[in-house]
Amino acid sequence: MEGDGPAVRRRSRAASARKRSGDRAQSRGACYPPARKRPSSRAGEEPQPAPSTPEYNNDSEEDMFGDYDSFSGNDSLLAQVDNMEQECIQSIDLTSCTKNMEDEATVEPSFGYFQLQNAKSKELIFSAAGNITGFRTEEENHLRITSKQENWTLEPGDCFLDDLPSSQFLYFEEMNKTSVDSRKSSGTKENANDMNSCLDKMLNQSSCHHNAEHTKINNELSLSTMSNLNKRKSLKDHLKNTMTGNAKAQTPQVSRTKQLKEAVLSEEICAAKKTIETSSVDIGPFYGLPSKVKDLFVQFRGIEKLYGNSHYNFCLKNHSCLLLCYKWQHTCLTLESLQQRKNLIYSLPTSGGKTLVAEILILQELLCRQKDVLMVLPYVAIVQEKVWALSSFGIELGFLVEEYAGSKGRFPPIKRRKKKSLYIATIEKGHSLVNSLIETERVGDLGLVVVDELHMLGEGSRGAILEMILAKILYTSETTQIIGMSATLNNVGDLQQFLQAEYYTNNFRPVELKEYVKIQDSIYEVDNKAENGLTFSRLLNFKYSSNLQKMDPDHLIALVTEVIPNYSCLVFCPTKKNCENVAEMVCKYLNNGLTSDERKRIEEAYSTGVLCLLTCTSTLAAGVNLPARRVILRAPYVAREFLKKSQYKQMIGRAGRAGIDSAGESILIVQEKDKHLVRDLVNSPLENCYSNLFLEFTKGIQSLLLSLVGLKIARTPEEIYHFMCGTLFGVQQQFLSKEKSLSAITREALGCLIEKGLLKGKMTSEKEQKSQSNLEITQLGQATYKGSIDLAYCDALYRDLKKGLEGLVLESCLHLLYLTTPYDMTYHCRPDWMIYFRQFSQLNSVEQKVAAIVGVPESFITKKASGQAIKKDVDNCVINRLYLSFVLYALLKETNIWNVSEKFNMSRGYVQNLLNSAASFSSCVLHFCEELEEFWVYKALLTELTKRLTYCVKAELIPLMEVAGVLESRAKQLYDSGYKTLAHLANADPETLVKMIEHLSRRQARQIVSSAKMLLREKAEALQEEVEELLKVPTDISEGLLTTLP
């Protein structure tokens, strides 16, 4: 059985009870309180197999050595040592003291009393008396240790509890009171006194006999016998001192039931691992996982079993889902292709339960195969939500959950010797993580990669980066399994060929979704069997006044009031302005113009039923999980572009979510002019997913080829072409670029990289490819791909950093902020010149020099603000970048997005997006500078700046905001309530948190505590790994040198 320490053979509960009852009868009332068992192993104890069916009990106090009755029991460690030493001493005494011995004496323990029989040998009587003294000392020490340990466990003022806020004292006082009452009722104290009384009588009798003949014994004992006795005493003292120290160690009290459950968990993990390795049909207690995993799904998710007798079954109780999940999940998890570790793509409608299957596969990889896992999600908010959800599992099952989003993440990740890691990452951070694993030759440690929203392969530059991740894993690791899932896939054949994957699909949806289209005051149901795809359903029956009719010509109020307030409703609008106008008419709104704090609070309020109506933009469809009974699409447009089928499906998929509603419906509002387009939309298939490597040239194929050479995955044009054939672009090249071959496109991209100075080498004709030398990456190229810098901006970034060294202004962080302001944000910036001039005027003289250094003189700003003509041209990118750096500078000084957005006349959402982008880009610039020795000065400066941009709060709140899902407002609440460090949160009681923190639900409190525990454990593990690495014997030194070292 695997575990943290050796297994201890345990007697059955019934046998132990019988023996103890017999002991009490023979010992005339002298009973020994059981000692607490330390979870760690002891020297000299041999591991023994655990019983196949261990029995659980609710004992709160336990033996230090298991279920054994006392230290004098025949099976205890000290008894075994005594027997071995007794035999050794007797053999020595018989040799050296034959003349002095007249009779033999036998010392026999009898349930706590030593009965001396035929005590004619003075020497052996002395040994027996020594044993009695030692035995009493051990028992008395044990009683004191037990008392101290119990007091420590319940005393809030000791050890790490010293730092807990006062709000936690009530919780620990209740624990202390309960424990004291329990000990009083069990009579432990009386039993201890009885035992000490018996031992005192026994010791007094032995001492009298010993004192009468002590002088003679000392004269007769030989030197060798005395030496052995001293050794014996020394060994026993050493054992006693060791056990005493261990007992005094301030470790949390662990119940026997918990230890037995952990033993069963370890045994089941071992069995499940063997089951999975053999690809057996018998998949164990819970899909190859321990039964504890099943219990955790019940506890954390309300999932009672994975499939029922019917096709699906669920019930509603206080808005919480008690799912009896679906047969398709069982079918998917038992696919032969999964048992053979083949790659898999599976597709089901929204709310079909895809995530649960992925999570079970992830747990199989972490627990049974003992491999790391990467989970790639599209947005930061979803990454944080998933970190929250899986941290509780990590705490219980012993794996780490690491967040890779925004500026968070370590490259390369720490190599764990004991625990495995689940990396939850955005697409961009996932790519950097995979690159670092390939570079350190650790990609084989990655056993599984799970990609949610696989259809994003076809969405711009982010799709190109996702394709790079998957292509590199396929090329560099034969043992890493890839799982992709999506609700909107069409050309699955191309994706299967790219990923070398099997495909599973099902049309199952747990809650029926009905689709409607509204034209004027008529509502039509989408019907694929109808001739034009639509069937008349009903007329709207709502009395409008003339004024209301003018305000609401599309009858939104009528559609909304049919479902609220009894049920929830989402209204998707094409633009933010339209969203605000609709919200003013019906309810509060939610769109991407909100800050992260505001979005979080509104999402929580909506999820708990406080809000029943939200109007939002299309970004909500994929960004967060906010289900509704009815979804209304205000118009078939996203901004000015007509709706795509995949976007339409994502939006209407919010309606009728399992466990929340028993039905769902969507209504698309259409004008007469768009009727024919909408008919095509609702009846057309999903769009095909096409590679974006070629379309996104600098972020796509050029970036990929640069990293291939930098990582030494491919070094020659021929090797690079071979790699490109395995990409999705290689599969679809004949459709995407008919004019040029894949080889020609690859060579053209390599030529551009050489021309930019990112690669070194000479390109020859295709006929001479085989004879040409390897390509090499330059220092600038190395910095560019490691920093994940867009190749379109790498030259500009290098020039700006180089120019900054000539006169870097460090009196404030303004100059550094300019250098870390994202280039791509400048295209959407339209400065207000009066605000520009006002902000410039508020800077001190040294800070104003920054504008002149970067190329925006004061005269230029003044003339622009006064509306004068300007003859001198200034780079618009520089102008806009400096303006945005003013915004960031104000944010770091005020840490209030509301005030800053008003000051610069910007939406809060835009300011929030700027801050997040700047934090991420600052992290990229930091990695860029780490690869160029000339920029060494930036390393320390950018490390601190990145941290400040990531959290943008006062320094004291940063430790709390490191916890996933804790934003500024919540961090302030926690800090004001006394929770000021990560340790405070990790050791907090969720129930106390609910009482102390306003508007905090129990679910949120549990998630905060679990996330804090996970983060604290991750940091502790990192420090431990660092210590072990420092103490490791170097492998690059000769044995001769090692032997001469002290």
Side-chain angles (χ1 to χ4, degrees):
M1 183 179 71
E2 296 179 1
D4 293 337
V8 178
R9 176 174 57 83
R10 303 181 184 274
R11 289 177 286 184
S12 67
R13 181 69 177 166
S16 178
R18 287 194 301 269
K19 183 172 185 328
R20 293 185 178 182
S21 63
D23 294 348
R24 288 192 294 269
Q26 296 182 42
S27 59
R28 289 176 262 175
C31 59
Y32 297 90
R36 300 188 187 280
K37 179 180 179 295
R38 291 179 60 252
S40 59
S41 59
R42 301 173 301 281
E45 181 174 341
E46 297 181 1
Q48 300 186 26
S52 57
T53 56
E55 298 186 26
Y56 295 87
N57 59 72
N58 296 321
D59 292 349
S60 60
E61 294 184 307
E62 302 169 344
D63 278 347
M64 188 176 272
F65 296 93
D67 283 343
Y68 304 115
D69 299 305
S70 69
F71 291 150
S72 66
N74 292 334
D75 292 328
S76 70
L77 176 61
L78 287 179
Q80 294 176 20
V81 174
D82 286 345
N83 291 338
M84 289 188 291
E85 292 189 43
Q86 187 74 18
E87 293 174 3
C88 179
I89 291 174
Q90 287 179 359
S91 63
I92 295 174
D93 291 343
L94 289 174
T95 304
S96 61
C97 305
T98 305
K99 296 180 180 180
N100 297 330
M101 297 191 55
E102 299 176 357
D103 288 310
E104 295 181 359
T106 303
V107 181
E108 180 179 344
S110 178
F111 308 108
Y113 288 96
F114 280 91
Q115 299 176 352
L116 304 181
Q117 301 175 350
N118 301 324
K120 299 179 181 180
S121 173
K122 300 173 184 178
E123 179 181 9
L124 291 181
I125 290 174
F126 176 80
S127 299
N131 281 343
I132 295 171
T133 304
F135 176 69
R136 178 173 185 251
T137 302
E138 289 166 0
E139 289 292 337
E140 291 176 331
N141 285 342
H142 166 62
L143 289 174
R144 291 193 294 269
I145 292 164
T146 303
S147 176
K148 289 180 180 179
Q149 188 180 32
E150 290 173 351
N151 290 336
W152 170 84
T153 304
L154 304 174
E155 185 64 42
D158 292 342
C159 194
F160 65 87
L161 300 181
D162 286 335
D163 293 332
L164 280 179
S166 59
S167 60
Q168 293 290 286
F169 288 164
L170 178 62
Y171 172 67
F172 283 101
E173 286 173 1
E174 289 296 328
M175 289 177 58
N176 191 19
K177 182 179 178 181
T178 303
S179 180
V180 169
D181 293 342
S182 176
R183 289 201 303 273
K184 287 181 178 179
S185 63
S186 63
T188 303
K189 183 175 180 180
E190 288 79 354
N191 293 340
N193 290 335
D194 290 343
M195 181 199 71
N196 286 335
S197 176
C198 294
L199 285 176
D200 287 338
K201 293 178 182 178
M202 175 185 65
L203 184 60
N204 290 335
Q205 294 173 2
S206 301
S207 297
C208 292
H209 194 86
H210 162 67
N211 290 333
E213 300 180 343
H214 184 276
T215 305
K216 186 176 180 179
I217 291 174
N218 287 340
N219 293 333
E220 292 177 349
L221 282 175
S222 66
L223 291 176
S224 61
T225 304
M226 187 66 102
S227 175
N228 281 283
L229 288 172
N230 289 335
K231 289 181 181 179
R232 170 185 172 80
K233 181 179 180 182
S234 176
L235 178 58
K236 289 198 67 175
D237 288 343
H238 176 69
L239 287 172
K240 287 190 293 182
N241 291 337
T242 301
M243 288 186 293
T244 301
N246 289 339
K248 289 181 179 179
Q250 296 181 351
T251 55
Q253 183 176 350
V254 182
S255 69
R256 181 182 304 166
T257 300
K258 183 175 180 181
Q259 290 178 348
L260 289 176
K261 286 184 177 180
E262 289 177 353
V264 173
L265 172 63
S266 178
E267 187 174 2
E268 287 184 348
I269 287 177
C270 183
K273 183 177 179 181
K274 293 179 180 178
T275 299
I276 289 180
E277 288 175 350
T278 56
S279 299
S280 173
V281 177
D282 181 9
I283 56 177
F286 186 72
Y287 297 93
L289 289 165
S291 56
K292 182 176 181 179
V293 175
K294 184 178 179 180
D295 298 336
L296 292 177
F297 273 111
V298 175
Q299 179 182 349
F300 298 140
R301 303 290 176 80
I303 299 174
E304 294 185 349
K305 57 183 177 181
L306 199 58
Y307 63 98
N309 296 327
S310 59
H311 191 60
Y312 66 90
N313 187 17
F314 69 93
C315 62
L316 296 174
K317 184 176 181 180
N318 297 329
H319 301 286
S320 63
C321 179
L322 301 177
L323 285 177
L324 308 179
C325 292
Y326 320 122
K327 280 188 175 180
W328 81 262
Q329 294 171 326
H330 174 74
T331 303
C332 185
L333 286 168
T334 54
L335 289 173
E336 185 178 354
S337 57
L338 281 182
Q339 305 304 315
Q340 297 174 356
R341 290 192 60 75
K342 293 182 180 179
N343 298 337
L344 177 69
I345 301 170
Y346 64 100
S347 176
L348 283 95
T350 305
S351 188
K354 298 183 293 295
T355 302
L356 178 60
V357 171
E359 289 177 350
I360 291 176
L361 294 174
I362 286 171
L363 293 177
Q364 285 179 348
E365 198 69 31
L366 290 166
L367 301 180
C368 303
R369 298 189 181 94
Q370 293 292 301
K371 290 283 190 177
D372 296 330
V373 177
L374 169 63
M375 189 175 195
V376 181
L377 301 171
Y379 302 109
V380 175
I382 301 180
V383 169
Q384 293 176 341
E385 184 180 334
K386 189 59 66 176
V387 170
W388 265 44
L390 293 179
S391 290
S392 300
F393 286 86
I395 293 294
E396 295 292 333
L397 298 174
F399 62 86
L400 299 175
V401 180
E402 302 185 35
E403 178 182 347
Y404 281 75
S407 61
K408 294 183 179 179
R410 190 193 302 255
F411 305 105
I414 296 176
K415 185 176 178 61
R416 315 284 182 180
R417 291 181 174 85
K418 298 178 181 178
K419 295 186 177 180
K420 298 305 172 184
S421 294
L422 168 58
Y423 309 114
I424 304 180
T426 58
I427 294 173
E428 293 78 8
K429 287 295 181 179
H431 185 219
S432 299
L433 177 64
V434 169
N435 283 344
S436 67
L437 291 174
I438 293 174
E439 184 179 20
T440 54
E441 298 181 350
R442 290 169 48 195
V443 71
D445 294 343
L446 211 56
L448 178 67
V449 175
V450 176
V451 179
D452 195 9
E453 310 294 353
L454 186 63
H455 62 271
M456 291 196 71
L457 279 166
E459 297 187 10
S461 60
R462 305 193 77 216
I465 297 173
L466 181 57
E467 184 176 346
M468 294 181 209
I469 296 174
L470 298 174
K472 288 176 182 177
I473 291 173
L474 287 167
Y475 194 86
T476 58
S477 176
E478 296 180 354
T479 59
T480 303
Q481 186 180 23
I482 296 175
I483 305 293
M485 53 182 171
S486 174
T488 54
L489 289 178
N490 190 31
N491 56 331
V492 180
D494 290 349
L495 300 181
Q496 281 187 266
Q497 186 177 347
F498 165 45
L499 296 177
Q500 305 163 31
E502 301 291 321
Y503 179 58
Y504 176 85
T505 186
N506 196 306
N507 293 324
F508 168 72
R509 198 179 195 276
V511 178
E512 183 183 7
L513 172 61
K514 293 185 177 181
E515 302 176 35
Y516 298 95
V517 173
K518 177 190 168 297
I519 304 174
Q520 294 182 352
D521 59 350
S522 300
I523 296 180
Y524 300 86
E525 184 175 359
V526 176
D527 185 1
N528 295 329
K529 298 178 181 179
E531 184 177 351
N532 59 358
L534 299 175
T535 302
F536 177 78
S537 177
R538 63 187 174 95
L539 287 173
L540 271 177
N541 184 19
F542 188 84
K543 295 181 180 180
Y544 271 84
S545 65
S546 57
N547 291 334
L548 188 57
Q549 182 68 38
K550 292 178 181 178
M551 290 175 57
D552 184 23
D554 295 326
H555 309 100
L556 270 173
I557 293 179
L559 296 174
V560 166
T561 53
E562 286 180 344
V563 291
I564 66 169
N566 295 329
Y567 302 101
S568 56
C569 180
L570 282 175
V571 180
F572 285 103
C573 302
T575 65
K576 287 190 295 181
K577 187 63 178 176
N578 184 245
C579 185
E580 293 173 8
N581 292 337
V582 172
E584 288 177 2
M585 185 173 59
V586 288
C587 193
K588 296 295 181 181
Y589 68 95
L590 174 66
N591 61 58
N592 59 8
L594 299 177
T595 66
S596 298
D597 261 357
E598 291 169 333
R599 288 176 65 96
K600 187 74 176 175
R601 287 193 175 190
I602 292 176
E603 289 164 15
E604 291 173 357
Y606 183 83
S607 298
T608 56
V610 176
L611 294 177
C612 59
L613 172 66
L614 294 176
T615 64
C616 49
T617 55
S618 60
T619 55
L620 184 74
V624 291
N625 181 22
L626 293 181
R629 166 64 70 92
R630 175 177 289 182
V631 169
I632 301 172
L633 279 66
R634 176 69 177 75
Y637 290 91
V638 174
R640 296 182 178 180
E641 296 183 2
F642 194 78
L643 204 61
K644 296 179 181 178
K645 183 62 176 282
S646 59
Q647 293 172 325
Y648 171 72
K649 286 292 186 181
Q650 287 283 351
M651 291 181 187
I652 68 172
R654 304 296 105 186
R657 305 286 282 190
I660 297 176
D661 284 305
S662 57
E665 57 185 17
S666 67
I667 300 176
L668 172 59
I669 299 175
V670 180
Q671 306 300 323
E672 282 288 341
K673 63 183 181 67
D674 296 325
K675 186 189 300 185
H676 64 288
L677 295 175
V678 169
R679 285 175 180 171
D680 294 338
L681 171 70
V682 297
N683 293 293
S684 64
L686 292 164
E687 295 86 8
N688 287 334
C689 180
Y690 290 116
S691 170
N692 280 273
L693 280 180
F694 182 64
L695 297 177
E696 299 286 338
F697 203 60
T698 57
K699 289 185 178 180
I701 190 169
Q702 284 191 11
S703 179
L704 173 60
L705 300 188
L706 180 65
S707 63
L708 291 180
V709 177
L711 294 170
K712 300 179 182 178
I713 296 174
R715 303 292 297 274
T716 66
E718 186 177 12
E719 292 174 348
I720 292 173
Y721 171 76
H722 178 66
F723 178 94
M724 290 298 299
C725 289
T727 63
L728 181 60
F729 177 65
V731 173
Q732 299 175 333
Q733 187 270 329
Q734 54 182 337
F735 302 106
L736 301 178
S737 179
K738 297 180 180 179
E739 298 81 8
K740 298 179 181 179
S741 65
L742 180 61
S743 177
I745 294 172
T746 303
R747 293 176 59 79
E748 180 183 345
L750 288 173
C752 292
L753 293 173
I754 294 173
E755 188 177 335
K756 289 181 179 180
L758 302 175
L759 289 180
K760 291 188 296 184
K762 186 178 180 181
M763 294 298 298
T764 57
S765 63
E766 293 188 24
K767 296 180 180 179
E768 300 174 338
Q769 276 189 23
K770 295 182 180 180
S771 61
Q772 70 180 23
S773 59
N774 291 342
L775 295 169
E776 295 182 3
I777 194 167
T778 64
Q779 282 189 324
L780 179 60
Q782 185 88 354
T784 300
Y785 98 80
K786 281 201 170 185
S788 300
I789 304 297
D790 188 345
L791 271 59
Y793 307 124
C794 62
D795 288 334
L797 177 62
Y798 180 82
R799 288 194 303 269
D800 289 340
L801 291 172
K802 189 77 173 177
K803 188 176 181 180
L805 291 178
E806 298 173 4
L808 188 63
V809 178
L810 295 178
E811 185 169 306
S812 72
C813 61
L814 179 60
H815 201 168
L816 285 173
L817 285 172
Y818 172 82
L819 295 174
T820 55
T821 300
Y823 290 93
D824 54 359
M825 293 289 291
T826 61
Y827 298 110
H828 308 290
C829 178
R830 299 291 181 268
D832 184 318
W833 287 103
M834 287 304 299
I835 296 176
Y836 208 142
F837 178 75
R838 190 183 305 120
Q839 292 299 314
F840 178 83
S841 302
Q842 292 175 0
L843 301 175
N844 61 41
S845 58
V846 177
E847 291 172 336
Q848 288 181 355
K849 290 181 181 179
V850 175
I853 292 173
V854 301
V856 184
E858 180 180 0
S859 59
F860 177 83
I861 300 174
T862 304
K863 290 180 179 180
K864 273 287 189 181
S866 60
Q868 300 180 28
I870 300 175
K871 296 181 180 179
K872 183 179 179 181
D873 291 333
V874 180
D875 189 349
N876 281 332
C877 180
V878 175
I879 295 170
N880 296 346
R881 204 166 175 228
L882 181 63
Y883 186 69
L884 294 177
S885 67
F886 286 171
V887 179
L888 293 171
Y889 189 44
L891 273 173
L892 291 186
K893 288 194 297 183
E894 297 186 23
T895 68
N896 189 310
I897 290 180
W898 283 73
N899 294 342
V900 173
S901 63
E902 291 179 5
K903 183 180 293 185
F904 286 87
N905 194 25
M906 294 177 171
S907 70
R908 298 188 301 278
Y910 182 84
V911 175
Q912 179 77 68
N913 187 34
L914 171 64
L915 180 62
N916 294 339
S917 299
S920 181
F921 187 65
S922 178
S923 176
C924 293
V925 176
L926 172 60
H927 293 302
F928 180 89
C929 293
E930 287 175 344
E931 299 301 319
L932 297 171
E933 187 62 31
E934 58 189 305
F935 294 148
W936 63 271
V937 70
Y938 288 115
K939 296 177 185 177
L941 296 173
L942 291 177
T943 300
E944 182 61 27
L945 182 65
T946 301
K947 193 172 184 179
R948 292 184 63 188
L949 287 170
T950 299
Y951 301 107
C952 193
V953 293
K954 294 180 181 179
E956 61 264 23
L957 296 182
I958 290 179
L960 301 178
M961 290 188 65
E962 289 179 342
V963 179
V966 176
L967 300 179
E968 183 178 2
S969 60
R970 185 70 76 201
K972 288 179 179 178
Q973 285 182 307
L974 292 168
Y975 189 86
D976 292 341
S977 299
Y979 300 92
K980 299 183 178 182
T981 67
L982 184 61
H984 289 167
L985 280 184
N987 292 285
D989 173 47
E991 293 299 325
T992 307
L993 274 179
V994 172
K995 295 177 183 178
M996 297 292 296
I997 307 300
E998 191 176 5
H999 305 307
L1000 181 69
S1001 67
R1002 283 181 173 79
R1003 173 179 170 272
Q1004 293 163 351
R1006 287 194 295 267
Q1007 287 180 327
I1008 287 175
V1009 172
S1010 294
S1011 297
K1013 285 181 179 179
M1014 177 56 66
L1015 184 58
L1016 193 63
R1017 180 178 293 184
E1018 181 187 330
K1019 290 187 175 186
E1021 291 281 341
L1023 291 174
Q1024 187 175 354
E1025 296 287 348
E1026 188 176 347
V1027 169
E1028 292 182 5
E1029 186 66 27
L1030 287 172
L1031 297 177
K1032 192 169 77 173
V1033 178
T1035 57
D1036 57 347
I1037 187 171
S1038 63
E1039 294 184 3
L1041 291 175
L1042 284 176
T1043 55
T1044 60
L1045 293 175

